Amino acid sequence: MAHDKGLDNVAVHWPRTNRFYDPVAPAEFVDFGAVADAPDIAAPTGALALHIAKTGTVRATAYTELVDLLLGLEGVLYATDAAAEDEDPVIDPDGCAWIAGGLERFVEGHQPHGDLVTFDSVAEVMRAAVAGGRLAEQQLRWLEQRLAALRDDAGNAPHWSFARTELAILAGFYRRCADRGYAVFADY
């Protein structure tokens, strides 16, 4: 999925009442700002938390490939299913809960691998998660195909580098939207 502009995920009131969705006031996310002031917090984690606190928005472009891989679909943060149906590109509160849950499980599963999340560590966590499942062999084949598709023509992996705490903040944004009945508008 290639888009020319960046992607913002904007918290909006659900359902819409007029032609447009009303953004949620950033005050609903102000507590995220405290993370940025915490000692020893990774800079990307603090920057994401502060941006959410000030705007009620996530600049989602950097996370799209990872979220798509973790959740097994394409264009999750772009809300492409809704867009394909000629609807507004919106992730409803149930969709926000699904995204948050997937990210939360990943963050928890990554804990033994440390705080640095890379393509290789994501692959390890996902392999371990599917290896114990009912259809482990089939799921592992699917996973290996997905991982191979993310590599460039020379076989190089994507240069992902996230703090695990950064992904916890990302999950927290979608969890807050789900818990308070907000949706997320994909603005690109």
Side-chain angles (χ1 to χ4, degrees), residues 42-61:
T45 303
L48 176 61
L50 193 57
H51 184 74
I52 292 169
K54 289 181 176 181
T55 65
T57 300
V58 166
R59 289 194 170 123
T61 304

Side-chain angles (χ1 to χ4, degrees), residues 35-179:
V35 172
D37 296 330
D40 299 328
I41 196 72
T45 303
L48 176 61
L50 193 57
H51 184 74
I52 292 169
K54 289 181 176 181
T55 65
T57 300
V58 166
R59 289 194 170 123
T61 304
Y63 308 107
T64 59
E65 282 184 336
L66 174 63
V67 171
D68 285 354
L69 177 62
L70 294 176
L71 299 178
L73 296 175
E74 296 291 323
V76 172
L77 300 181
Y78 284 98
T80 53
D81 283 344
E85 298 168 2
D86 292 316
E87 296 178 10
D88 294 325
V90 174
I91 303 165
D92 66 20
D94 290 339
C96 288
W98 176 67
I99 293 168
L103 286 168
E104 291 161 351
R105 285 187 298 280
F106 173 76
V107 167
E108 185 178 316
H110 196 280
Q111 190 168 0
H113 300 275
D115 194 47
L116 183 62
V117 176
T118 64
F119 180 79
D120 292 335
S121 69
V122 169
E124 287 179 39
V125 171
M126 291 190 70
R127 284 183 188 115
V130 300
R134 284 187 37 221
L135 301 171
E137 189 175 311
Q138 179 181 350
Q139 290 177 338
L140 282 170
R141 276 195 309 270
W142 171 87
L143 175 60
E144 293 306 326
Q145 289 173 349
R146 290 293 302 259
L147 293 170
L150 289 169
R151 294 183 179 277
D152 66 16
D153 292 339
N156 299 314
H159 297 285
W160 294 342
S161 181
F162 302 104
R164 193 172 64 86
T165 53
E166 178 183 2
L167 298 179
I169 293 297
L170 183 66
F173 171 78
Y174 295 100
R175 178 63 60 202
R176 173 71 51 89
C177 290
D179 290 350

Side-chain angles (χ1 to χ4, degrees), residues 10-25 28-29 79 81-83 85 87-97 174 176-186:
V10 181
V12 294
H13 290 280
W14 179 259
R16 72 177 181 195
T17 53
N18 301 316
R19 254 182 83 199
F20 302 103
Y21 291 90
D22 294 323
V24 172
E28 295 292 326
F29 298 93
D81 283 344
E85 298 168 2
E87 296 178 10
D88 294 325
V90 174
I91 303 165
D92 66 20
D94 290 339
C96 288
Y174 295 100
R176 173 71 51 89
C177 290
D179 290 350
R180 296 198 179 166
Y182 304 142
V184 169
F185 183 81

